[in-house]
Each structure stands twice: as structure tokens, then as C-alpha cells.
Amino acid sequence: MAELVEVTDPDDPRLRDYRDLRDVQLRKDLEAEHGLFLAEGEKVVRRALESGFDARSFLMAPRWLDGLADVLDRSGAPCYVLSEQLAEQVTGFHVHRGALASLERRPLPSVESVLAGARSVLVLEDVVDHTNVGAILRSGAALGFDAALLAPRCADPLYRRAIKVSMGAVFTLPWTRLPEWYDALPDLSARGFTTVALTLAPDAVPVEEAVAGLDKVALVLGSEGHGLSERWQESADRRAIIPMHEGIDSLNVAAASAVACYVTARR
Amino acid sequence: MAELVEVTDPDDPRLRDYRDLRDVQLRKDLEAEHGLFLAEGEKVVRRALESGFDARSFLMAPRWLDGLADVLDRSGAPCYVLSEQLAEQVTGFHVHRGALASLERRPLPSVESVLAGARSVLVLEDVVDHTNVGAILRSGAALGFDAALLAPRCADPLYRRAIKVSMGAVFTLPWTRLPEWYDALPDLSARGFTTVALTLAPDAVPVEEAVAGLDKVALVLGSEGHGLSERWQESADRRAIIPMHEGIDSLNVAAASAVACYVTARR
């Protein structure tokens, strides 16, 4: 079981994984360098462990220990116990969800293994906002998608904010990074998927029509600001649109993806 | 045309409408007391004016004047021009979208006038998050809903953050507050709407089935945390669910509302 270690010094080097959680750039560097990621909140920490991720350590105030007692029982990682005030000093914000865990990243699976047996796959091009990545993966998982592929510039699904918004779907929905961008969609077509790009292009057909009767579908979504690149729009097998009321600028990417996943999953 | 007034003193009383924009409670009190609301960013300011709201004043750095020249030309309100640094001192944050406008609230329309001619209506119970209110109204407007009704405890659609997330849909989609909560749904039924409550209740049927063939529909959505109250679930004509994959905790309210609006608009 996890050893409980009381900590009273905010500069204790053992707390290194938890420092300055609001500094996105610093966190990206630190998490990449050490191959770790952070989970926040009892429910999310529990899901990470249940999904097979190994804890490096836990950090929490005393009042959160009981809720995670069973999780701590099954882990060999140390649990740093400190006051809420001290936790705030270390992390740089008020940890109102209480429990934090630092977890080991695992090597990303191959595209082939992520696609094995999958019938509905999300493909994200340059979704750079962690909230949107989390929301899209949550909707995909909830609406029956089997896997997700992320282009090299997409935001990290294991960034704390993405994990939280996804409600842990990033732990359960199989996903990986695409090794390259340019031929990603033709490669998927060669693997038997019909790639359907969500776009406002003039030749786009309603998404319900675009996916009707298809067996293996890869639903392709672009960035928040500019949508899909020309290359991905052109190299997709089909271009699709969510029919919208005139005069409104489209849905945001999280709303559009929820609608498109719903329609595609029920094709 | 708007008089350009150069301001160099951050304590200038004429800037009162723009103070401390990050302080939600203070802003709520100030905006209610003075009957104003704030719009942020060229596109949103433009939409507010084009939708017929009257400006009390504008506030912007010199480099934003050109983009809004036509809007300023048509307004009689003063435009306070100040450096970006000074704007930050007044508002409490870096105004990266540049233009701000303070606008006069109008009396809320009656439920009757909002419902006149409407066939698809959103009804929000206790959606307390400004981002969610904005996102839901944006999706409703984009997907063909005609109006929205908000229960007394819903967040304010004219709060700066809600306006921004809605992309101005709060200016164009007719909406008002329900005068009371308890009998709101039976009242809508009496006006000829079938009220369809989105819920995880055991007797809920798939939303597609719940709305099939209906003429006038009121789609009823609950709060982020606990969903709809017992009273509203029981007093709705029908209870509906978005079919989901097992083991996932539901969609977030913005994603769920996008899917439900899409399905309902295409009934």
C-alpha cells in the first residue's frame, strides 16, 4: 500500500511533479521530460489507476485520504500528505478537488493497434485547445466511437485540463498520435476506412448523407479557428457539413463533434 | 457620430461601466443596478448594435477605431480612447479583443411574445454557468431553434462571457426569463407545446423517438451538476435520453444540447 509521507516544506524536492500547475509551457516541458502526467480529483485519479496507469506518487490534504483509501491500498507509490494551504503554495492554485496524482505515461500505441477492430474513429487535425480535445474525446466515447487519432499538432489528451474535461475518457478510449500529417487520410483509406471531413466547403453534403450505409468510418475534425487544412479537405474521401440555420457562424468544434459523432454512430 | 474622448486617468468616473470585469459578483450587481451589459470584441460589439441595442459608451485602444468606424459613425454614444495599458488597469485584464461597449439592457419581452410563431423552443432550468448558457443558445440558434426560455436561476445570457461564447446568438435568438418555476412546463403544455425533458430517468425514451412527428416542441434541459429537478422531470409531457455507450457518464450539457437540438430540429 502507498506510504503516507507528511510534508511540511513547500520546497521539498519530492513534490517536484506538482509544481506550478498553472504554467502551461513549464508543465509541458516538465511532463514530457519526465514522462509523467497529472490527474486531479478523486474520480479522475481513480479512473486513471483503474485504467492501468502506474502512479509515481499522490498528493493530497488529509481530508481526501478516506475517499481514496482503496486506491492507495493497491498502490506502491508514496502519498504526500500536506495542508491545503501548502498544496496551494506548491501547485500555484487552490486544489479544490483535493486529490492529485502523478502518473507514468506509457509509450503511445501504434496506429494499427488502435484501429484493430474499430468501426468508428475520430481523427483530429489541429485541435490545439485542451478543453476541446477533452470534450471531443468524451463525446466520442459516450456516443459509441471506438478510437481516436491525433495529428502531430493537436493538444495533449493527457494534459490535466483535457483529462478533467474528458471525465477520464482519455484513459479508456484507445487513441494515439498520427506519425505524420500529409498522407494521414489516404493511409486511413488504404486501411479500409472512408474518411469523412467535417468542413464548410461548398461541395460538402449533410453529414447524415455522407455516412449513410458506410462500414468503417473515420470522422475528421479540424482546428477551432480555421477548420481543416486544404490538404486534409482535399485528401478526404468525402466532405460533410452539419446543416445550419443561415446567418449563424457554425457551431463550436465541441458541439459540432457531438452532433457529428451522434449521426455517424447511428449510420 | 460617436464623440472620441481621449482618457488618460484610470480613475476617470466616465469609465465606471468598465471596471473590474473579472469580478463576477461585482459585475452582476453593477450591471443589474445600472441596467447595462458589456460586449467585447469587434464582431460581438457590431452584432449588439446591429441587433438594436443602444450603446451607453465604447472603450477602445486607438488601433481598434478603424475596424469599428462605421459602427461609431452611426452611434451617438461617447467613445473613450485610451492606451491598452490603461484599459488593462481599468478592466483588470488584458483586453486582447480590443473593443468594448457598454450597452443598455432592454426590458425582457413577455413569454407570449417570445413564443409567438415559434415551433422549437429551448427551456433551460438551472444552467448556472455562463459558458454553458452561451454555448447552448449558440447551438440552438445554429440548429434552427426559434426561441429560448430561462428559469429564474439560470445564468444571465447578457453576461460578457455568455455573449462571447454564444458568438452573439443571445442578441438574435428571442429569449426571456420564465416568471416562475413551479408550473413553467404545464404552462407551456397549455400553450400547445409538447415539453420534452432531457433526463437519465429510467422511463426516458431515445430523444429521436420522443420528438418524432411533434409539431410544437419545448426541449427542456437541466443544470450541469444534477440535471433537471424532480418537479420538472415529472411535469414534462415526455422524458427523453440521448442513447449512450455504457460506462461513460453522460455528455456535458453543451454537447448534449447540441445533439438534442439537432435531432429535434429535424423531427
Side-chain angles (χ1 to χ4, degrees):
Chain A
M1 68 169 280
E3 187 195 353
L4 304 187
V5 182
E6 209 170 310
V7 178
T8 52
D9 175 7
D11 296 323
D12 191 314
R14 293 172 297 184
L15 304 185
R16 184 182 59 180
D17 288 2
Y18 302 94
R19 286 200 195 291
D20 300 318
L21 294 184
R22 301 187 85 158
D23 184 334
V24 178
Q25 194 52 54
L26 182 145
R27 292 303 306 180
K28 280 187 187 166
D29 296 345
L30 184 148
E31 296 186 7
E33 189 180 333
H34 296 284
L36 64 88
F37 69 95
L38 272 249
E40 180 185 13
E42 180 183 328
K43 195 183 266 188
V44 169
V45 168
R46 182 182 297 280
R47 290 202 178 158
L49 276 286
E50 285 172 357
S51 307
F53 286 96
D54 287 327
R56 293 160 59 94
S57 65
F58 303 89
L59 180 150
M60 63 192 78
R63 68 186 176 102
W64 290 91
L65 285 167
D66 279 355
L68 280 167
D70 58 316
V71 169
L72 296 174
D73 267 356
R74 289 192 299 271
S75 172
C79 176
Y80 303 117
V81 182
L82 68 186
S83 69
E84 288 175 56
Q85 193 190 355
L86 210 61
E88 187 169 341
Q89 266 180 273
V90 173
T91 61
F93 71 104
H94 179 61
V95 189
H96 66 285
R97 287 166 196 261
L100 288 166
S102 171
L103 300 128
E104 300 280 2
R105 285 183 189 249
R106 295 187 294 219
L108 287 176
S110 66
V111 170
E112 193 162 4
S113 71
V114 165
L115 293 180
R119 189 171 168 262
S120 302
V121 177
L122 274 167
V123 187
L124 308 186
E125 195 181 22
D126 294 342
V127 181
V128 297
D129 181 277
H130 291 113
T131 303
N132 285 333
V133 167
I136 293 169
L137 295 186
R138 179 178 177 185
S139 293
L143 294 168
F145 270 61
D146 306 306
L149 298 173
L150 281 69
R153 282 196 295 269
C154 265
D156 177 12
L158 293 183
Y159 191 74
R160 183 172 56 96
R161 172 92 191 137
I163 295 173
K164 194 158 109 182
V165 172
S166 85
M167 292 297 290
V170 296
F171 303 140
T172 50
L173 185 74
W175 65 267
T176 195
R177 290 270 176 195
L178 288 161
E180 64 95 52
W181 164 79
Y182 190 80
D183 276 329
L185 300 192
D187 283 352
L188 278 165
S189 304
R191 292 173 192 264
F193 285 85
T194 303
T195 55
V196 178
L198 217 61
T199 156
L200 302 172
D203 67 341
V205 300
V207 61
E208 206 161 329
E209 193 179 311
V211 300
L214 292 178
D215 178 21
K216 298 206 285 185
V217 172
L219 182 67
V220 184
L221 304 171
S223 81
E224 297 86 356
H226 302 94
L228 287 169
S229 66
E230 283 296 314
R231 169 64 190 163
W232 275 34
Q233 290 190 52
E234 285 163 12
S235 60
D237 296 316
R238 303 185 181 185
R239 278 153 293 286
I241 192 170
I242 296 170
M244 269 174 284
H245 203 69
E246 277 177 62
I248 303 285
D249 307 55
S250 80
L251 295 160
N252 74 36
V253 69
S257 67
V259 171
C261 285
Y262 176 85
V263 171
T264 302
R266 299 165 66 82
R267 68 188 178 275
Chain B
M1 69 168 280
E3 187 196 354
L4 302 186
V5 182
E6 208 169 312
V7 179
T8 53
D9 174 6
D11 296 322
D12 191 314
R14 292 173 297 183
L15 304 184
R16 184 182 59 179
D17 287 2
Y18 302 94
R19 287 200 195 291
D20 300 318
L21 294 184
R22 301 188 84 159
D23 185 334
V24 178
Q25 194 51 55
L26 181 144
R27 293 302 307 181
K28 279 187 188 168
D29 295 345
L30 184 148
E31 297 186 7
E33 189 181 331
H34 296 284
L36 64 89
F37 69 96
L38 271 251
E40 180 185 13
E42 180 183 328
K43 195 184 268 188
V44 169
V45 168
R46 182 181 297 279
R47 290 202 180 159
L49 276 286
E50 284 171 358
S51 307
F53 286 95
D54 288 327
R56 292 160 61 95
S57 65
F58 302 88
L59 179 150
M60 63 192 78
R63 68 186 176 100
W64 290 90
L65 285 167
D66 279 356
L68 280 167
D70 59 317
V71 169
L72 295 174
D73 267 356
R74 288 192 298 272
S75 173
C79 176
Y80 303 117
V81 182
L82 69 185
S83 69
E84 288 175 57
Q85 195 191 355
L86 211 61
E88 187 169 341
Q89 266 180 271
V90 173
T91 60
F93 71 107
H94 179 60
V95 189
H96 65 285
R97 287 167 194 260
L100 289 167
S102 172
L103 300 127
E104 301 280 2
R105 285 182 187 249
R106 294 188 294 220
L108 288 176
S110 66
V111 170
E112 192 162 5
S113 71
V114 165
L115 294 179
R119 190 172 167 264
S120 302
V121 177
L122 274 167
V123 187
L124 308 186
E125 194 182 21
D126 294 343
V127 181
V128 296
D129 181 277
H130 291 113
T131 302
N132 285 334
V133 167
I136 293 169
L137 296 185
R138 179 179 176 186
S139 293
L143 293 169
F145 270 61
D146 306 306
L149 299 173
L150 282 68
R153 283 195 295 268
C154 265
D156 177 12
L158 293 182
Y159 191 75
R160 183 171 55 96
R161 172 91 191 137
I163 295 174
K164 194 158 108 181
V165 172
S166 85
M167 292 296 290
V170 295
F171 303 140
T172 51
L173 184 75
W175 64 267
T176 195
R177 290 270 175 194
L178 289 161
E180 65 96 51
W181 163 80
Y182 191 80
D183 276 328
L185 301 191
D187 283 352
L188 278 164
S189 305
R191 292 173 192 266
F193 285 85
T194 302
T195 55
V196 178
L198 217 61
T199 156
L200 303 172
D203 66 340
V205 300
V207 61
E208 207 161 329
E209 191 179 312
V211 300
L214 292 178
D215 179 22
K216 299 205 286 185
V217 171
L219 182 66
V220 184
L221 304 170
S223 80
E224 296 86 356
H226 302 94
L228 287 169
S229 66
E230 283 296 313
R231 169 63 190 164
W232 275 34
Q233 290 190 53
E234 286 163 11
S235 60
D237 296 315
R238 302 183 182 187
R239 279 153 292 285
I241 192 170
I242 296 170
M244 270 174 284
H245 203 68
E246 278 177 61
I248 302 286
D249 302 59
S250 79
L251 295 160
N252 73 38
V253 68
S257 67
V259 171
C261 285
Y262 176 84
V263 171
T264 303
R266 298 165 67 82
R267 68 189 177 274

